[in-house]
């Protein structure tokens, strides 16, 4: 009887085995996942309140503290991507009417400003052209003029390939009574960052870049200054799911018995634990040096091909994602498609303000090797030789 009520048949594609191609992921993320992390994600799951699961979460917390170089107690992983961590940071720090200064030199500053506006914050923008970074003087002028309670800035701007200097920035913000919020999704593990020493108040990242973990979990940490601001809130955060008070308790950050908040993605946490373990085994300094060396080799190879790097100053180049101008007369879509179709290599075009202007090549975590640099340069050389020119 019930079968006669079915008007939608089983999808034929779902009746076929899942088949995915093997590709070398050298775009801005996600990056390839090593077998060890894949094996961790395939383990039988545990209940999200089992003591063994809570132990894994404690180990993740310790790994994030190492990666961030912080002793902050309020350190955990958001059950979501880096974009989710951005939203969590902003909605816990900001209330309606708060003034936030957003440093924008790429898409992630633009996104932060959009989220802050939706929260009812008074958003002030500090602008730089794509490919440039902010000096301490730029920031101080903005702080003095706008008097914000929070400054948002991106450490590794993946849309443009810029690495933002952070030295002195935390101290400067605190002199103006402002908290420093830093996006390190594309830079964590690939470029030096010292949360406590640099006086960063909120720092977050994502799992799918240098950590080589599938997307879906996002490390985040709050300083004591940031915690105090959250305790002074007059209204509750607009999201229950991302309420840091509840998440702090679930992650054992408040010294109280842990309570259920949400069903955590346990297997994502297994993967994140292994990604952080592999970073700890390699060592931060070794990881930073590996990314620096791969980036330098790639940049030299691109210059040898006659291509123009998008970020002019070497010190301002993000070691994990290199941006190169699309050669005049070429269609970036043809180039990226050639690499995918003929070499199984993913690189990407620009994003946001860099769309149509650059190619983005990512070398992150286990993908940051001399062999992969050689492979992508060879493929790119062939693409430029064979791709049809655009007739504009």
């Amino acid at each position: 009887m019930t079968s006669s009520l079915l008007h939608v048949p089983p999808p034929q594609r779902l009746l076929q085995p899942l088949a995915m191609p093997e590709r070398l992921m050298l775009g801005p993320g996600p990056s390839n996942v090593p077998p060890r992390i894949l094996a961790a994600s395939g383990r039988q799951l545990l209940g999200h309140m089992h003591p063994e699961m809570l132990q894994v979460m404690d180990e993740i917390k310790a790994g994030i503290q190492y990666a961030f170089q912080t002793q902050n107690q309020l350190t955990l992983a958001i059950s979501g991507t880096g974009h989710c961590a951005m939203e969590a940071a902003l909605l816990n720090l900001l209330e309606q009417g708060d003034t936030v200064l957003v440093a924008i030199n790429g898409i992630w500053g633009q996104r932060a400003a959009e989220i802050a506006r939706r929260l009812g914050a008074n958003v002030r923008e500090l602008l730089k052209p794509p490919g440039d970074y902010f000096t301490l003087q730029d920031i101080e002028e903005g702080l003095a003029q706008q008097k914000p309670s929070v400054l948002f800035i991106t450490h590794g701007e993946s849309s443009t390939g810029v690495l933002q200097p952070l030295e002195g920035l935390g101290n400067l913000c605190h002199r103006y009574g402002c908290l420093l919020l830093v996006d390190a999704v594309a830079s964590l593990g690939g470029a030096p960052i010292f949360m406590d020493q640099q006086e960063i108040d909120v720092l977050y990242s994502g799992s799918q870049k240098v950590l080589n973990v599938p997307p879906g979990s996002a490390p985040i940490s709050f300083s004591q200054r940031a915690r105090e601001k959250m305790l002074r809130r007059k209204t509750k955060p607009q999201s229950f799911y991302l309420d840091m008070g509840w998440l702090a308790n679930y992650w054992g950050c408040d010294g109280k018995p842990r309570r259920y908040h949400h069903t955590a993605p346990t297997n994502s946490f297994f993967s994140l634990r292994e990604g952080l373990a592999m970073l700890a085994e390699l060592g931060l300094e070794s990881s930073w040096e590996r990314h620096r060396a791969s980036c330098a080799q790639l940049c030299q190879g691109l210059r040898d091909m006659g291509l123009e790097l998008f970020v002019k100053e070497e010190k301002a180049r993000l070691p994990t994602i290199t941006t190169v101008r699309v050669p005049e007369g070429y269609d970036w879509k043809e180039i990226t498609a050639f690499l995918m179709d003929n070499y199984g290599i993913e690189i990407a075009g620009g994003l946001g303000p860099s769309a149509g202007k650059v190619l983005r090549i990512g070398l992150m975590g286990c993908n940051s090797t001399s062999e992969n640099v050689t492979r992508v340069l060879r493929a790119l050389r062939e693409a430029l030789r064979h791709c049809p020119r655009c007739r504009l």
Side-chain angles (χ1 to χ4, degrees):
M1 287 292 294
T2 56
S3 62
S4 64
L5 300 177
L6 299 179
H7 298 289
V8 179
Q12 286 300 308
R13 290 188 179 182
L14 291 184
L15 302 180
Q16 303 299 319
L18 177 66
M20 288 290 109
E22 290 283 337
R23 287 174 177 157
L24 178 59
M25 305 293 285
L26 299 185
S31 52
N32 291 102
V33 181
R36 172 175 168 181
I37 296 176
L38 282 176
S41 68
R43 286 179 175 271
Q44 185 58 259
L45 56 78
L46 290 174
H48 47 280
M49 297 298 291
H50 288 192
E52 297 87 352
M53 191 66 229
L54 300 182
Q55 177 62 37
V56 169
M57 293 166 69
D58 288 342
E59 293 170 4
I60 289 172
K61 176 178 176 177
I64 296 171
Q65 288 172 322
Y66 171 70
F68 284 9
Q69 287 296 287
T70 185
Q71 296 180 344
N72 291 336
Q73 281 299 108
L74 184 43
T75 299
L76 51 88
I78 298 288
S79 301
T81 63
H83 213 307
C84 192
M86 173 192 281
E87 192 139 10
L90 290 164
L91 73 85
N92 279 279
L93 286 183
L94 298 174
E95 293 187 84
Q96 189 165 359
D98 282 354
T99 297
V100 56
L101 180 62
V102 182
I104 300 177
N105 59 347
I107 193 173
W108 300 115
Q110 293 176 347
R111 291 285 176 90
E114 171 67 15
I115 291 170
R117 288 191 184 96
R118 295 187 182 204
L119 294 170
N122 180 21
V123 178
R124 294 289 180 263
E125 297 181 352
L126 193 62
L127 302 174
K128 280 281 187 176
D132 286 355
Y133 62 89
F134 296 90
T135 66
L136 285 177
Q137 182 179 347
D138 295 329
I139 300 297
E140 184 161 19
E141 289 174 358
L143 295 173
Q145 182 176 0
Q146 305 297 342
K147 298 178 174 56
S149 62
V150 175
L151 168 69
F152 174 94
I153 200 163
T154 308
H155 185 224
E157 179 47 78
S158 61
S159 68
T160 62
V162 169
L163 181 69
Q164 171 63 43
L166 296 176
E167 288 303 321
L169 195 50
N171 179 268
L172 177 62
C173 285
H174 297 151
R175 284 197 278 117
Y176 282 86
C178 175
L179 297 178
L180 175 59
L181 165 56
V182 175
D183 178 313
V185 171
S187 59
L188 182 70
I193 192 164
F194 305 92
M195 185 173 187
D196 289 354
Q197 291 176 238
Q198 293 171 331
E199 299 184 46
I200 298 169
D201 292 296
V202 184
L203 180 65
Y204 66 86
S205 189
S207 59
Q208 75 275 19
K209 307 282 186 174
V210 171
L211 293 177
N212 297 135
V213 174
S217 55
I220 193 169
S221 182
F222 293 76
S223 73
Q224 187 59 35
R225 286 187 184 89
R227 295 187 75 169
E228 290 170 359
K229 186 180 191 312
M230 291 189 290
L231 289 172
R232 294 194 302 269
R233 291 183 65 101
K234 299 174 183 177
T235 58
K236 292 182 179 181
Q238 294 181 20
S239 169
F240 181 85
Y241 185 70
L242 298 178
D243 186 326
M244 205 50 60
W246 280 86
L247 291 174
N249 173 265
Y250 179 44
W251 278 83
C253 302
D254 63 0
K256 300 176 183 178
R258 298 191 192 193
R259 296 170 294 162
Y260 165 77
H261 174 249
H262 69 284
T263 302
T266 53
N267 288 51
S268 290
F269 287 171
F270 294 161
S271 299
L272 180 59
R273 190 263 183 206
E274 288 304 286
L276 290 166
M278 291 177 68
L279 178 63
E281 291 166 7
L282 175 63
L284 277 172
E285 291 178 323
S286 295
S287 183
W288 296 336
E289 172 56 26
R290 182 166 74 180
H291 287 83
R292 184 209 62 77
S294 294
C295 178
Q297 180 188 352
L298 176 61
C299 288
Q300 186 58 55
L302 293 169
R303 282 192 297 259
D304 291 345
M305 292 168 59
L307 299 177
E308 180 183 357
L309 298 174
F310 188 66
V311 181
K312 299 300 182 185
E313 292 187 54
E314 183 177 358
K315 69 175 184 179
R317 291 179 192 142
L318 180 59
T320 54
I321 300 171
T322 298
T323 46
V324 58
R325 288 190 181 275
V326 178
E328 186 175 356
Y330 281 87
D331 184 342
W332 68 268
K333 294 179 183 179
E334 295 282 350
I335 296 172
T336 57
F338 184 91
L339 265 66
M340 184 75 79
D341 295 342
N342 293 277
Y343 289 91
I345 296 175
E346 179 200 58
I347 66 171
L351 185 65
S354 68
K357 300 176 183 177
V358 303
L359 297 169
R360 295 183 294 156
I361 304 171
L363 295 165
M364 293 179 280
C366 66
N367 284 354
S368 183
T369 66
S370 178
E371 178 186 14
N372 283 342
V373 173
T374 300
R375 286 179 66 181
V376 73
L377 287 173
R378 183 186 304 119
L380 189 56
R381 191 176 295 111
E382 287 299 306
L384 296 180
R385 184 176 298 131
H386 291 99
C387 282
R389 300 290 183 109
C390 291
R391 295 183 178 180
L392 304 177

